[in-house]
Amino acid sequence: MDKRTSWIDNLRTFITVLVVAHHSSLAYTTFAYFDRDAYIRSTHPVVDAARSRGLDIFEDFNDVFFMSLMFLISGIFVYRSLLNKGAAVFVRDRFYRLFIPFVVGVTVLMLCAYYPSYYLAHGTHDLQAYVVDFFTVEAWPVGPPWFIWVLFVFNLVVVIIFPLLKDRIIQWSAGLATLRQHPVKLLLYWYLFTWVLYVPLALVIDAGYWTGIGPFDFQVGRVLLYFGYFFLGILIGAPGVNNGLFTEGAVFVKKWWCWLLAALGVYAALKLSEAPLTGMLKRGELSLQQATLIYRSIWTLSCTFSCIASLTIFKRLLNYSGRWWQSLSANAYGIYLVHYIFVIWCQYLLLGVPLPAWPKFLITTLVSVICSWCVTYIVRKNNLIGKYL
């Protein structure tokens, strides 16, 4: 593996495993519920009686930052890829690598994944009825592949605007790189960037609101945040990922431990703010809009610190890779595509097992990562599939 980008590959792989763990935790959170009339309205396709408040925190901490970071990472090599391939070849490659796997994911893979939910809701193994319900009552649930189709659209948008912004991207990237020796200023700009992309929409749109047509579903309140972070990734990667903001010797990278402590501290402040804000809201001391403004402003600061901490930790400490990690990294995309099948089925099979929430969570995570890894490794032996997976 190329040492120059191994830390990016390591971070991408870590986030992929974190996604598997995130989905594995959702059956065991204290706020989980299952809707038998339409399981798509449930918090998760399988909900267990075993619950843990610790997994509430684990799930919520991830939710604040990890998808934004995934979009940022996905943008890092876009600029150079577009320059080297040209728009037509770039779009063709994105179509095969993103859109085709998305189509397979939301049909074949999600049909395999959601079957336990149908059985839990209806108590029958009628496959024909399940398929009809999947496409009608449940409105073709997208599952984790939502990220892939949204990423594909973001790539198309960049291709369209690239001729207009090609030179400006280099200018903006150079300006961003100058902040590597000024961590406080970088933090301020990064936070304001995140705040503008997210908080105004959060004031008018419910944070959990999704919309779309069929499987083309997305979280409305975060669409600008995700595109903004994708574009930020483009700026970071435009001069070469290790030649700009993440140049060797960058002060802001050396402060990785500060970002980590700040990320943990700000997230703790976010959770501690919930009860006082709720109390003030109930007493009429704050309006809903004011409470949302305060909470989401802390939320965006938590997102900012967690993303910076993740990037700097991997750049500073994890810029190498062993044999097993290289294999995991090479198969990370496939793991993301297929893991939901193993997560849901494992959670379903553990429903009647008399274990606490944490052991079930750990079993589900481990089984899902290993099985997804093995399946992807085998499937990628096919030359055609391996070229785009």
Side-chain angles (χ1 to χ4, degrees):
M1 183 180 293
D2 184 356
K3 186 178 178 180
R4 292 182 65 249
T5 59
S6 60
W7 69 276
I8 293 291
D9 292 325
N10 293 342
L11 179 56
R12 181 192 292 113
T13 304
F14 171 76
I15 295 297
T16 301
V17 173
L18 193 60
V19 168
V20 179
H22 180 85
H23 290 144
S24 297
S25 73
L26 287 170
Y28 312 110
T29 58
T30 61
F31 58 81
Y33 67 87
F34 187 78
D35 190 330
R36 293 183 180 276
D37 294 327
Y39 59 76
I40 192 62
R41 294 198 294 259
S42 306
T43 55
H44 189 65
V46 173
V47 173
D48 202 297
R51 308 294 181 90
S52 169
R53 291 191 180 278
L55 289 174
D56 290 358
I57 295 173
F58 173 79
E59 181 277 335
D60 186 59
F61 180 77
N62 296 336
D63 182 66
V64 171
F65 82 98
F66 75 154
M67 293 312 301
S68 296
L69 185 56
M70 280 192 72
F71 279 108
L72 185 151
I73 294 168
S74 299
I76 284 178
F77 299 105
V78 166
Y79 182 87
R80 287 178 169 262
S81 183
L82 258 173
L83 282 183
N84 294 334
K85 296 179 180 180
V89 175
F90 178 83
V91 171
R92 184 200 65 189
D93 286 353
R94 295 297 88 188
F95 179 82
Y96 283 115
R97 184 162 173 81
L98 295 175
F99 192 76
I100 295 300
F102 166 74
V103 172
V104 174
V106 296
T107 51
V108 178
L109 300 181
M110 290 306 103
L111 271 171
C112 294
Y114 279 99
Y115 184 76
S117 303
Y118 176 81
Y119 178 73
L120 290 172
H122 300 281
T124 177
H125 287 294
D126 187 334
L127 289 176
Q128 182 177 349
Y130 164 61
V131 173
V132 172
D133 178 84
F134 182 88
F135 289 106
T136 56
V137 176
E138 315 305 334
W140 199 343
V142 63
W146 72 266
F147 167 77
I148 300 172
W149 88 262
V150 172
L151 181 59
F152 178 66
V153 171
F154 286 175
N155 275 272
L156 293 183
V157 171
V158 169
V159 168
I160 293 171
I161 65 176
F162 190 72
L164 300 175
L165 296 182
K166 182 170 64 174
D167 295 333
R168 288 188 177 274
I169 287 173
I170 290 297
Q171 294 173 5
W172 294 337
S173 178
L176 179 64
T178 63
L179 299 176
R180 62 179 176 260
Q181 308 297 1
H182 306 282
V184 175
K185 187 180 292 187
L186 174 65
L187 170 65
L188 177 62
Y189 287 147
W190 198 312
Y191 173 60
L192 289 175
F193 178 73
T194 307
W195 192 96
V196 169
L197 290 170
Y198 182 68
V199 174
L201 270 181
L203 293 175
V204 296
I205 298 174
D206 183 85
Y209 179 64
W210 289 68
T211 190
I213 301 174
F216 297 95
D217 220 7
F218 66 99
Q219 198 168 2
V220 180
R222 297 190 188 183
V223 67
L224 291 181
L225 176 66
Y226 291 155
F227 182 76
Y229 267 66
F230 177 69
F231 195 79
L232 179 60
I234 294 175
L235 296 183
I236 289 172
V241 68
N242 291 324
N243 298 324
L245 190 61
F246 290 92
T247 302
E248 289 295 331
V251 173
F252 115 94
V253 174
K254 292 179 180 179
K255 300 293 184 181
W256 64 267
W257 57 274
C258 294
W259 305 125
L260 175 60
L261 292 175
L264 297 174
V266 173
Y267 181 74
L270 179 69
K271 301 310 290 181
L272 291 172
S273 73
E274 291 177 354
L277 287 173
T278 300
M280 295 173 74
L281 186 61
K282 289 181 178 179
R283 293 190 299 269
E285 298 171 4
L286 287 176
S287 67
L288 178 59
Q289 192 171 50
Q290 289 170 330
T292 301
L293 177 61
I294 295 170
Y295 183 80
R296 292 301 168 183
S297 293
I298 305 172
W299 191 97
T300 51
L301 186 60
S302 179
C303 176
T304 300
F305 272 123
S306 292
C307 287
I308 294 176
S310 299
L311 289 160
T312 54
I313 287 171
F314 275 80
K315 168 62 178 177
R316 184 70 172 177
L317 304 179
L318 298 165
N319 196 15
Y320 59 89
S321 188
R323 178 184 173 188
W324 286 103
W325 193 260
Q326 286 182 32
S327 175
L328 186 61
S329 177
N331 293 290
Y333 183 37
I335 291 171
Y336 182 88
L337 274 170
V338 305
H339 79 274
Y340 214 47
I341 299 173
F342 299 105
V343 167
I344 295 176
W345 276 93
C346 191
Q347 290 168 339
Y348 168 70
L349 293 173
L350 288 173
L351 284 176
V353 178
L355 287 173
W358 273 93
K360 288 188 174 185
F361 157 70
L362 293 172
I363 291 170
T364 300
T365 301
L366 186 61
V367 168
S368 300
V369 169
I370 292 174
C371 290
S372 302
W373 187 357
C374 291
V375 167
T376 304
Y377 177 81
I378 294 170
V379 170
R380 289 180 71 245
K381 292 291 186 180
N382 179 285
N383 291 332
L384 179 61
I385 296 175
K387 184 178 179 181
Y388 295 104
L389 196 59

